[in-house]
Amino acid sequence: MRMASLEAYGAHPDLLAVWTQHYNEDLLPIQEKAVLDGQVLTGKSVVGSGPTGCGKTLIAEMAATHAASQGRRAFYLCPTRALAEAVHRQFSRLYAPLGMRVLISTQERRQSDRQILRGEFDIAVTVPEKLWAMLMASSSLLQTVGALVVDELQMLGDEDRGPCLELLLARFAAVGRAQIVGLSAVLGNPRELADWLGARLVEENRRPVPMRKGVWRDGAFSYLEHNSQSRGEEPIEVQLPEDASELEATVRLAAELALRDEPTLVFLRDRASTVRAARMAAEQMERAEAPDLDRPTGQSLEAARDLPPTQAARALTELMASGVGFHNADLHLSERHLVEAAFASGDLRCLFATSTLAVGLNLPARNVIVEPLKWRSLPGGQPSLGPLTQAEFENMAGRAGRLGFGDEYGRALLVGEAGFTEDGLFRRYVEAPPEPVSGQFQRLPAVQRLLLRTAAEGLDGEPLHLLTPTPSAAGDTAEEAQALERAEKAGLILRSPFGDRVALTGAGQLAATCGLSLATVASMTAALESLHDAPSDLEAVVMAALSAEARAIPLPRDRSEGHWMRLLEARGHSDCGWSERTRALLWSGPLRAAERETAARITLTALDWSREETTADLELRTGLHSGRAAIVGETIGWLVQCLARMVEERGGDPDDVDRLQELGESLTATLPPVCLPLHRLHIPSLQRDHVLGLAGAGITTRDDLAAATPGALEALLPPATLAELAQILPLRVDVAAPSAEEVTQAAAVDAPLLVIDAGRPNEVSFRGQVVALRPMEFELLSLLAHQPQRCVPFDKLYNELWGANNPVEPAQIYYHRHNLARKLMSAMPEGSEPIVKTISRRGLMLDLPAEAVAA
């Protein structure tokens, strides 16, 4: 079926042009079924089930954009914020030029919330938890949405994300006004899900690129071919030492496939394993003779070098030279984007990722190797290592085989051992049918179910029809009766005089809307009552850090007793506003000493990362990778903003509410409040240190950016970020650099080319232009300028810049030298040689004659 023929089914010609250009002129089988059998273009609800790569993505785009083209607003639900960002970028690029208003709303991205609540959008990309909160804020949304598209429908079975998604779908299905389109590759019961949603089922079992799925052991890959269901064996020889561990075997297999120029994605159990495996693979690939291997282009490596010198960025820069990378929760969002782009472009041929981030990755590969283990968090206990579910394995394995890249087939490999283990892996993951998806709402605590059902049914009075039925909220079971009693005693609900109806109080509404645990609502309520007025910034962060949600943040183990409590009190007395109220908050409640210590550590971490220190310095001081610190900031920021809503609900001063809302946003962004206007631009490559550098130069708003000279921006930002800025801001026309004749004339009258004034440590004058510098860049240039055209040894630079007793990575010197050289180059004619040079293994040198320098 031709794409152009969809005009007869009502598709707008402009949409057809985009779909044809971005996808293909011919529909894939599942896409054709969605149009003919599912009638997706006539507004019918559809459940699409088919393997990864079969073309389900276009069905989702069809439903959302076709509804929008007909004036029916569409929500596009993604399981994670990272996927929501990716979908929003793609939809903005493809459909905004057609006049569609494409917005995004997540916990961090709230600038468009008011427009969405007012219905001023065509397509809104979001996550289930955020859509639920918006429905609670404006029930009219439920009546005006024309289409609800759910990517990764199997997330209904996820213990964490499933309950909210089930509740949303039950609510939309009960109203019956919106077209629901749910898509998944791993549904064991698609007919049941389709019937539940009142949708037509569209299935496709064949993959456009065949996939061999099986177990590799002793140089042989035993597989089952997906399309034909035929068994086979393929030799893949790998040299292994006799005592090779399972991880080493996995790494050597991955490196062997990558050395064949086959992009290989490996999913491992934890963060430490991904970094260790990446280093092992890089060593193996460097030792191997691989003249035909595509090495990374300068573009990816240069982009990595433009990153702030975090621990992760330094490791990535080192590994990318061998075509290897890693992807885990310790990476900041900008670092993850870089790794994903490098793998997608072919600069990386081997990528090791954690299984917990599998849902957030959209990276096809020729080969996918899966370690079938995963750490899982248990309520009230330590994480435990257990096997992947069959659905989790299928989700990862489905990335094998890239459509449009000429792959004859893809491979999904498990690394097996002799005997039972190999056979067991084959039966459990290769031959087993997909597991049925069951609802998770019934697994929630009874009081939480009561609050959520009451909130959902209060939208329009319609009863819920959940995927897995639970006892009703009317109290017809002993458990529900106890839940009603507990919720009423906690001040979360009000019962009618006859006891036949319940309504949520303000606190109950907050618990149902924001997803706060009941214990956190109770503890925050008690803390606010004890304070008698709005909490200070420090008190608000302490209250957030004491919550169960905050104490669940995974942090590196720390066995010091009382260290963080003492440090918090000392820091609080000096610059955080410590008071006896703060001490009382920390010691309130039935927490153990270790839990209070964790709360103190989280408080300090959140406060430190929202200040004006560089990312590299904060990593050293707090002992956390920037990605892990971002998780702390996001969690504490969200909790503080929930606290702001509680203050508002209690009739607090609007100024206090605004202050706490801004504090929460600052903590979430890991930036001081002055930097928030730039952070709200949400430019992916505008990283934390870039924003701090701009603020240090007095550029703190969108208008400041538009008014800044190109020279000032080029001194502070890498080219990729400038290019993104130029797409959304009317940047000023470039200022011409002094001509060679002008420079010669200046030199003739003894005017130095470089002027450094210690009284102005944020800038220097070079070739007649003012060049803005950050403090470390200024100090480095000053050191070099005192010995122009002479090598300054690395040891001297380390001692002068960081002190003799502080450990420094060589990459930090390189990072500051790289940025300094780039900024000075902005004032030089095109084609000039850099004047800050590296003397191999010895030091750095400023390549200017002494008479050209005034310092």
Side-chain angles (χ1 to χ4, degrees):
M1 186 176 187
R2 304 286 289 180
M3 188 77 75
S5 66
L6 297 184
E7 187 170 2
Y9 294 84
H12 195 282
D14 290 345
L15 289 177
L16 292 177
V18 172
W19 297 341
T20 301
Q21 181 178 7
H22 189 65
Y23 290 99
N24 208 333
E25 293 184 354
D26 295 310
L27 295 179
L28 292 172
I30 195 170
Q31 297 162 357
E32 183 174 339
K33 291 177 183 178
V35 173
L36 298 180
D37 301 333
Q39 297 186 30
V40 69
L41 294 179
T42 65
K44 300 296 184 182
S45 293
V46 171
V47 167
S49 176
T52 301
C54 73
K56 298 186 301 296
T57 299
L58 178 57
I59 300 173
E61 288 192 29
M62 279 183 180
T65 57
H66 180 63
S69 71
Q70 295 185 323
R72 297 184 293 123
R73 302 180 186 91
F75 275 106
Y76 193 110
L77 287 186
C78 299
T80 65
R81 188 189 69 180
L83 277 180
E85 291 283 354
V87 170
H88 176 252
R89 285 196 299 272
Q90 175 165 313
F91 277 31
S92 297
R93 178 171 57 86
L94 296 180
Y95 304 113
L98 304 183
M100 288 190 181
R101 298 167 296 177
V102 181
L103 304 180
I104 183 173
S105 177
T106 62
Q107 179 179 310
E108 186 182 22
R109 292 270 236 152
R110 296 168 305 166
Q111 70 273 20
S112 299
D113 285 5
R114 290 185 179 179
Q115 289 174 266
I116 294 174
L117 291 173
R118 291 196 298 262
E120 298 173 358
F121 70 97
D122 295 306
I123 301 174
V125 184
T126 186
V127 294
E129 296 76 14
K130 190 59 185 284
L131 178 55
W132 172 252
M134 287 192 289
L135 286 178
M136 293 299 101
S138 175
S139 59
S140 62
L141 273 180
L142 193 64
Q143 313 296 328
T144 59
V145 174
L148 178 68
V149 178
V150 182
D151 198 3
E152 307 289 355
L153 185 60
Q154 80 277 2
M155 296 311 296
L156 277 166
D158 183 83
E159 295 178 1
D160 295 324
R161 304 184 183 104
C164 183
L165 181 57
E166 183 180 358
L167 199 62
L168 278 172
L169 287 172
R171 183 70 279 153
F172 274 93
V175 174
R177 292 186 178 90
Q179 175 188 23
I180 299 175
V181 176
L183 305 169
S184 177
V186 285
L187 296 178
N189 53 338
R191 173 60 63 188
E192 178 187 353
L193 294 175
D195 291 344
W196 172 55
L197 295 173
R200 300 185 176 208
L201 177 61
V202 173
E203 291 185 280
E204 175 59 41
N205 295 318
R206 295 184 62 83
R207 290 173 53 94
V209 178
M211 181 175 71
R212 297 177 176 180
K213 181 171 60 176
V215 180
W216 176 87
R217 183 177 69 86
D218 294 340
F221 175 45
S222 301
Y223 63 84
L224 182 70
E225 202 280 319
H226 178 87
N227 288 346
S228 66
Q229 290 293 295
S230 60
R231 297 286 293 263
E233 186 170 284
E234 177 185 1
I236 305 177
E237 295 292 339
V238 177
Q239 292 186 353
L240 293 176
E242 292 184 3
D243 57 347
S245 66
E246 188 173 337
L247 179 62
E248 187 171 6
T250 299
V251 169
R252 293 204 176 208
L253 172 62
E256 172 62 30
L257 294 171
L259 286 167
R260 299 180 181 183
D261 201 18
E262 297 182 7
T264 300
L265 180 58
V266 185
F267 288 106
L268 298 175
R269 68 181 73 175
D270 53 38
R271 304 184 308 275
S273 297
T274 62
V275 179
R276 181 183 172 200
R279 294 190 186 280
M280 292 166 60
E283 291 176 5
Q284 182 174 344
M285 293 171 69
E286 287 173 359
R287 287 196 303 266
E289 293 183 1
D292 296 328
L293 179 65
D294 288 340
R295 295 297 182 184
T297 65
Q299 184 176 3
S300 290
L301 280 175
E302 194 64 26
R305 289 166 179 160
D306 279 336
L307 292 171
T310 64
Q311 298 175 43
R314 292 195 293 269
L316 285 172
T317 303
E318 174 189 343
L319 292 168
M320 286 176 67
S322 301
V324 178
F326 60 89
H327 189 287
N328 61 42
D330 280 340
L331 298 186
H332 196 271
L333 198 58
S334 58
E335 294 164 343
R336 293 187 201 177
H337 287 165
L338 171 66
V339 170
E340 292 165 11
F343 188 78
S345 68
D347 287 350
L348 296 183
R349 280 290 179 259
C350 194
L351 179 61
F352 297 87
T354 50
S355 58
T356 52
L357 289 181
V359 176
L361 279 176
N362 185 23
L363 295 177
R366 175 71 191 276
N367 307 295
V368 174
I369 304 175
V370 180
E371 181 185 28
L373 295 171
K374 178 181 179 179
W375 288 99
R376 300 183 187 277
S377 297
L378 299 177
Q382 294 294 324
S384 63
L385 189 64
L388 294 176
T389 66
Q390 201 272 345
E392 288 170 334
F393 170 75
E394 284 292 338
N395 186 55
M396 301 174 202
R399 290 162 172 76
R402 302 163 301 163
L403 183 63
F405 284 81
D407 289 348
E408 182 182 355
Y409 55 85
R411 301 186 192 89
L413 307 98
L414 296 153
V415 176
E417 299 175 357
F420 177 79
T421 302
E422 180 182 357
D423 295 338
L425 287 174
F426 212 95
R427 288 195 300 269
R428 180 182 179 91
Y429 295 109
V430 179
E431 295 178 321
E435 299 164 342
V437 174
S438 60
Q440 298 298 307
F441 185 81
Q442 82 282 2
R443 300 193 178 206
L444 295 175
V447 174
Q448 195 170 356
R449 292 202 309 266
L450 167 66
L451 297 178
L452 290 171
R453 289 190 69 129
T454 303
E457 293 176 353
L459 289 175
D460 56 11
E462 291 289 335
L464 286 179
H465 174 51
L466 293 161
L467 177 57
T468 305
T470 62
S472 73
D476 57 355
T477 68
E479 184 184 32
E480 290 297 328
Q482 291 174 1
L484 276 168
E485 184 177 346
R486 289 176 55 201
E488 188 175 22
K489 185 177 180 180
L492 300 174
I493 65 165
L494 293 172
R495 277 200 266 195
S496 68
F498 300 101
D500 58 339
R501 297 193 64 183
V502 297
L504 298 180
T505 64
Q509 186 80 9
L510 188 68
T513 302
C514 296
L516 290 177
S517 66
L518 304 184
T520 296
V521 172
S523 66
M524 285 186 170
T525 299
L528 287 174
E529 290 175 352
S530 70
L531 294 178
H532 303 297
D533 57 8
S536 68
D537 287 0
L538 175 59
E539 290 164 351
V541 177
V542 167
M543 291 166 68
L546 287 167
S547 69
E549 290 86 345
R551 288 183 281 110
I553 300 172
L555 296 175
R557 290 186 179 181
D558 187 292
R559 300 186 183 278
S560 59
E561 295 184 6
H563 167 74
W564 295 104
M565 290 285 284
R566 291 190 297 270
L567 188 59
L568 174 59
E569 185 166 356
R571 189 85 56 82
H573 279 302
S574 63
D575 62 358
C576 292
W578 182 269
S579 68
E580 286 305 313
R581 293 201 328 179
T582 313
R583 182 191 297 277
L585 283 174
L586 270 170
W587 288 99
S588 63
L591 299 182
R592 299 190 301 270
E595 292 174 323
R596 299 186 200 282
E597 183 75 354
T598 298
R601 183 182 186 185
I602 289 172
T603 299
L604 282 169
T605 299
L607 291 173
D608 284 345
W609 279 85
S610 62
R611 294 181 178 175
E612 297 178 358
E613 287 187 66
T614 66
T615 301
D617 290 343
L618 282 170
E619 282 191 331
L620 287 173
R621 188 152 66 78
T622 64
L624 291 181
H625 290 278
S626 60
R628 187 65 47 183
I631 294 173
V632 173
E634 289 170 6
T635 304
I636 298 302
W638 161 62
L639 288 163
V640 168
Q641 289 178 326
C642 291
L643 184 60
R645 287 189 56 185
M646 295 182 73
V647 171
E648 183 178 27
E649 182 70 30
R650 297 167 63 88
D653 190 322
D655 289 341
D656 286 325
V657 175
D658 291 343
R659 170 177 58 82
L660 291 173
Q661 286 284 4
E662 183 180 69
L663 172 63
E665 186 179 1
S666 173
L667 294 168
T668 299
T670 64
L671 285 167
V674 69
C675 296
L676 291 179
L678 294 182
H679 173 73
R680 290 171 188 143
L681 295 175
H682 291 285
I683 299 171
S685 63
L686 188 64
Q687 300 156 37
R688 181 179 183 275
D689 283 18
H690 297 151
V691 175
L692 290 173
L694 289 168
I699 302 172
T700 60
T701 67
R702 184 187 183 102
D703 291 341
D704 291 341
L705 278 173
T709 64
L713 294 180
E714 289 170 2
L716 294 166
L717 302 174
T721 306
L722 284 173
E724 282 194 81
L725 276 174
Q727 294 178 7
I728 65 170
L729 292 175
L731 298 181
R732 293 176 58 181
V733 178
D734 200 1
V735 179
S739 65
E741 182 180 356
E742 290 172 330
V743 173
T744 303
Q745 290 174 352
V749 295
D750 297 326
L753 294 179
L754 176 65
V755 180
I756 303 175
D757 182 357
R760 305 182 69 179
N762 63 334
E763 64 183 33
V764 297
S765 174
F766 182 53
R767 302 176 72 91
Q769 292 190 44
V770 174
V771 178
L773 299 179
R774 301 192 67 186
M776 189 62 76
E777 296 158 1
F778 182 88
E779 292 182 31
L780 175 58
L781 182 58
S782 298
L783 280 173
L784 300 178
H786 281 90
Q787 299 183 57
Q789 290 191 320
R790 296 185 62 184
C791 175
V792 180
F794 284 124
D795 288 346
K796 179 177 175 62
L797 294 173
Y798 293 151
N799 291 340
E800 293 288 338
L801 295 175
W802 283 279
N805 296 323
N806 291 323
V808 182
E809 295 282 347
Q812 290 181 260
I813 282 280
Y814 174 83
Y815 172 75
H816 295 300
R817 183 212 66 80
H818 172 74
N819 285 342
L820 175 61
R822 175 169 54 82
K823 292 176 181 182
L824 294 176
M825 285 290 290
S826 67
M828 300 174 68
E830 187 175 351
S832 301
E833 289 289 324
I835 62 168
V836 180
K837 297 184 175 180
T838 300
I839 310 302
S840 180
R841 300 185 180 181
R842 295 180 59 194
L844 303 180
M845 181 182 75
L846 179 64
D847 194 9
L848 284 177
E851 59 271 17
V853 179

